[in-house]
Amino acid sequence: MSPEPIMPSIEILGLEKTYQVGFWRKRPKQALRPLHLQVEDGEIFGFLGPNGAGKTTTLKLLMGLIFPTSGSARILGREWTDPAVKAQIGFLPEQPYFYDYLTAHELLEYYAQLSGVPGKLRRQRIEQVLHQVGLRDVQGVQLRKFSKGMLQRVGIGQAILHDPKLVFFDEPMSGLDPMGRREVRDLMEQLKQEGKTVFFSTHILSDAEALCDRVAIIHKGEVLRVGAVDDLTSSVRGKVEVIWQGSQIPASIKALGAECHVTADMVRAILDEKHQDAVIDALRRERLRLVSVTPVRTSLETYFVEKLRHAETTAGSIAGGA
Amino acid sequence: MKTSIPHIASNTFREAVRDRVLYNLIAFALLLSGAAILVGQISIEIEKLVVINLGLTAVSLFGVVIAIFIGIGLVSKEIEKRTLYTVLSRPVRRWEFIVGKFFGLAGTLTVNTFFMAIGVFAALFYVSHRFVRADALIFVALYFIILEFLIVCSLALLFSSFSSPLLSAVFAFSLFVIGSFSEDLRNFASMAHGVSRWLATGAACLVPNFSAFNVIASIAHEQPVAVQLILQNTLYALFYAAMALSGAVLIFEHRDLK
Ligand SMILES: Nc1ncnc2c1ncn2[C@@H]1O[C@H](COP(=O)(O)OP(=O)(O)OP(=O)(O)O)[C@@H](O)[C@H]1O
Ligand SMILES: [Mg+2]
């Protein structure tokens, strides 16, 4: 294969969406502030955010299902509205729903036709995909008899059916049992192996942590940070949480740069690992009763919560660089 | 240029068949055979008159009801259930979706009408034991009925592209009823004065002119249909359906899905 020119898979150029809500008196509701984001070719990119952050809105905009108030995007080097783009991308919507009078096999057949999969290849592709998403045994059952998790599997199947270069998954793990989640993880890894780009939204952080090359954190329609998981979590790496009884904070502990929170009758301090012994000594000197010392989980979860809390309190814009 | 219109149309047809739409044929068959047996005691001439009149009117009404009931949901139901997400994220343009839906529904109705037509001819044979040349006029009436369906389908689709199924049904039925009396509306327009004249003329131009499509009574009396009317109705129906579909496409092209 000849090397193709490297270009980003997705370039979001200030997409913005304001909904008009209310029946009689329309009020604007800004679901997405001008969003800028770039996803590189061949990476697994996680789009993280709490409920209502604007993840689904972004994906629907990119799929051309809704129209932006302003801004544009490029997908695989073309204008995002270009029909030629659609043949090369796959999309799994949030809580997917399909024509329930069709069987899984018929649905995939129909979608393969719409995606322009050549007749000769169709059968083989459908068999392969049914196997991949574990629906081979129920391929002849009408979709109205499918459970939520089975529909999710159909959804994933139809997204990869036409062997797209780039897939968009809106909460791919939702509704799946532990085995199913595992399988979807493996599937995403496999897509990456095949050189595909995966863009998925989630609020299940451990999935993002295990899979993603990079993530973006979005909150209230605004990207707070973009970066590799490691880079994002390093700010809370190597810290310990020390809890003791009372409401007193010794000056020596303050001097160590601890971040202290006083609750009813406890103090919770977060500080660098290296000061751990110094703190314990200080507490002993002051005769304060130590309750616990625990390393802070350096997970994306922590980072995420911290970041959101910070965003809530400052309520200003903290647009992060890539 | 590859197009997804045939795939969308055939899937629409398949949906109608699986939703047991064709079961209406049973009701139709019962109605027709009941009528044929009931009037079987009177003279042959009157029997024929009843079978043709009743049979063709039923073909038209059954079809219109089906056209409206399926048509009003074709777009709005897909938006509501979000089945469109995975269709429109494929290389399917929105106008292709609308046009595919239209042909799917029109195809369903044509197949349905075909079976009903067999029923009408069977009933006719049952009462008169033979066919005469004038019976061929029934084909013209059936052709006009199908043209009428094209208009109704396109209107139902138009309403479906911007309003809820219930409202769409109300709109489409009202238009069908007004359209069936469009001749009276025209007459009224020619007699009225001032504002009401303008309003009536405008309405008469906008609503589909179904009066011109109803030749059932005249062919039942074996009166021939002018070739000019056939031509005129064909052009009118195609033009009207094309306009209504364009409207549906224009609205749907710019619509945010739910
Ligand atoms: N059709 C709509 N009309 C009005 N407001 C909407 C509409 N769709 C979404 N919103 C609003 O836009 C914001 C973003 O919603 P969105 O569905 O994109 O969130 P999300 O990040 O996908 O959340 P979740 O994790 O719950 O799926 C929310 O505040 C929501 O209320
Ligand atoms: Mg969502």
Side-chain angles (χ1 to χ4, degrees):
Chain A
M1 245 171 60
S2 62
E4 288 177 19
I6 308 273
M7 56 172 181
S9 268
I10 311 169
E11 281 173 282
I12 302 178
L13 309 164
L15 276 187
E16 180 183 0
K17 181 68 182 174
T18 302
Y19 288 108
Q20 297 296 323
V21 292
F23 193 71
W24 294 116
R25 289 189 49 204
K26 302 266 187 202
R27 287 167 286 114
K29 159 117 184 53
Q30 196 173 34
L32 211 59
R33 283 156 210 261
L35 178 81
H36 297 271
L37 198 63
Q38 185 160 325
V39 175
E40 302 305 330
D41 191 33
E43 67 177 343
I44 301 186
F45 192 94
F47 201 40
L48 304 181
N51 293 134
K55 305 183 292 293
T56 301
T57 302
T58 307
L59 285 168
K60 280 162 76 177
L61 284 169
L62 290 175
M63 292 302 113
L65 301 172
I66 56 176
F67 298 95
T69 310
S70 69
S72 71
R74 294 181 74 77
I75 296 178
L76 299 171
R78 290 168 188 263
E79 200 59 23
W80 92 111
T81 44
D82 187 340
V85 164
K86 300 273 180 73
Q88 301 184 43
I89 60 176
F91 174 50
L92 164 73
E94 174 176 63
Q95 294 164 9
Y97 193 80
F98 305 101
Y99 301 109
D100 56 11
Y101 52 90
L102 297 181
T103 67
H105 194 283
E106 286 169 339
L107 184 89
L108 293 182
E109 174 95 42
Y110 178 43
Y111 281 172
Q113 290 170 342
L114 294 185
S115 285
V117 178
K120 275 172 283 176
L121 270 178
R122 239 177 260 156
R123 255 199 116 70
Q124 184 201 339
R125 265 312 286 171
I126 293 170
E127 291 303 320
Q128 194 180 343
V129 163
L130 282 168
H131 177 73
Q132 264 177 306
V133 297
L135 291 177
R136 243 193 347 193
D137 298 338
V138 288
Q139 57 175 293
V141 178
Q142 281 195 347
L143 294 176
R144 69 175 89 234
K145 294 177 188 144
F146 271 36
S147 70
K148 189 172 63 167
M150 285 156 85
L151 284 177
Q152 184 76 9
R153 285 161 186 265
V154 176
I156 291 166
Q158 61 81 34
I160 58 172
L161 175 64
H162 46 294
D163 198 25
K165 275 198 185 134
L166 163 64
V167 291
F168 295 87
F169 290 155
D170 200 351
E171 300 190 19
M173 316 285 184
S174 93
L176 293 178
D177 55 26
M179 267 305 283
R181 301 171 97 100
R182 181 70 222 210
E183 285 165 21
V184 172
R185 268 195 202 190
D186 292 348
L187 180 87
M188 289 205 254
E189 296 276 9
Q190 192 193 330
L191 290 172
K192 183 185 156 84
Q193 294 293 313
E194 293 168 8
K196 313 277 161 64
T197 309
V198 180
F199 181 90
F200 77 104
S201 84
T202 186
H203 28 222
I204 304 169
L205 298 159
S206 55
D207 289 332
E209 201 158 19
L211 279 166
C212 293
D213 297 304
R214 289 194 307 142
V215 295
I217 294 181
I218 175 173
H219 181 53
K220 294 195 170 158
E222 193 167 16
V223 170
L224 299 183
R225 264 311 272 281
V226 184
V229 176
D230 278 349
D231 294 344
L232 294 192
T233 53
S234 62
S235 62
V236 275
R237 170 154 302 159
K239 302 229 169 180
V240 287
E241 179 196 62
V242 182
I243 297 177
W244 64 88
Q245 276 190 346
S247 56
Q248 192 189 344
I249 305 173
S252 59
I253 293 183
K254 271 188 193 151
L256 294 173
E259 188 189 317
C260 300
H261 306 272
V262 184
T263 52
D265 56 347
M266 301 257 202
V267 181
R268 181 171 155 267
I270 294 179
L271 69 174
D272 272 4
E273 215 168 24
K274 60 177 188 261
H275 298 313
Q276 186 176 323
D277 290 340
V279 173
I280 294 171
D281 288 343
L283 292 176
R284 198 173 286 146
R285 272 200 307 276
E286 304 282 337
R287 298 185 184 286
L288 286 166
R289 201 164 142 226
L290 182 66
V291 176
S292 67
V293 181
T294 26
V296 172
R297 258 196 72 209
T298 60
S299 68
L300 200 51
E301 184 113 20
T302 323
Y303 179 79
F304 192 63
V305 171
E306 295 273 303
K307 198 80 208 168
L308 293 188
R309 195 178 291 148
H310 192 61
E312 294 279 327
T313 50
T314 54
S317 87
I318 338 162
Chain B
M1 178 71 226
K2 276 172 74 160
T3 170
S4 18
I5 293 173
H7 304 307
I8 291 168
S10 62
N11 191 50
T12 307
F13 179 75
R14 178 161 58 177
E15 174 173 14
V17 172
R18 298 230 171 136
D19 281 347
R20 304 189 172 82
V21 165
L22 298 181
Y23 280 18
N24 77 92
L25 290 171
I26 298 174
F28 178 79
L30 289 177
L31 178 80
L32 210 59
S33 39
I37 292 165
L38 267 184
V39 295
Q41 275 70 34
I42 329 171
S43 80
I44 284 192
E45 284 315 302
I46 294 183
E47 280 175 74
K48 266 191 81 167
L49 214 64
V50 170
V51 166
I52 294 179
N53 258 314
L54 183 88
L56 291 180
T57 306
V59 171
S60 155
L61 284 183
F62 273 57
V64 165
V65 169
I66 294 173
I68 291 177
F69 274 101
I70 303 182
I72 53 171
L74 281 182
V75 178
S76 52
K77 201 178 75 191
E78 294 228 6
I79 293 179
E80 200 57 35
K81 289 192 167 180
R82 296 182 293 120
T83 43
L84 259 177
Y85 284 16
T86 43
V87 172
L88 292 185
S89 57
R90 291 176 191 282
V92 174
R93 273 154 294 196
R94 289 190 177 204
W95 68 263
E96 291 180 307
F97 177 77
I98 297 276
V99 174
K101 283 282 171 189
F102 173 77
F103 281 118
L105 180 53
T108 310
L109 286 163
T110 307
V111 170
N112 200 54
T113 308
F114 174 76
F115 286 118
M116 287 185 169
I118 293 178
V120 172
F121 280 110
L124 200 59
F125 191 75
Y126 172 82
V127 295
S128 55
H129 307 295
R130 68 196 176 93
F131 290 125
V132 294
R133 266 186 78 95
D135 292 341
L137 285 172
I138 294 176
F139 286 113
V140 179
L142 286 169
Y143 175 64
F144 282 1
I145 287 173
I146 288 180
L147 289 181
E148 194 175 72
F149 291 164
L150 296 186
I151 296 179
V152 177
C153 289
S154 65
L155 282 174
L157 258 169
L158 171 63
F159 296 134
S160 181
S161 67
F162 66 86
S163 81
S164 71
L166 186 67
L167 272 181
S168 305
V170 172
F171 289 150
F173 266 116
S174 325
L175 265 188
F176 174 69
V177 173
I178 301 173
S180 301
F181 294 103
S182 55
E183 204 157 278
D184 298 331
L185 195 62
R186 268 157 231 262
N187 290 338
F188 172 72
S190 62
M191 289 184 311
H193 299 283
V195 181
S196 52
R197 183 187 185 113
W198 287 113
L199 283 177
T201 312
C205 288
L206 272 183
V207 300
N209 181 15
F210 287 139
S211 303
F213 289 80
N214 192 343
V215 290
I216 298 173
S218 72
I219 67 137
H221 288 103
E222 305 193 355
Q223 286 163 5
V225 180
V227 175
Q228 198 202 337
L229 185 67
I230 299 180
L231 224 76
Q232 192 184 314
N233 277 352
T234 305
L235 289 179
Y236 179 83
L238 294 182
F239 177 75
Y240 201 100
M243 290 322 268
L245 276 187
S246 310
V249 168
L250 277 180
I251 294 167
F252 188 58
E253 278 297 332
H254 301 287
R255 213 188 137 171
D256 273 359
L257 300 190
K258 195 177 73 123

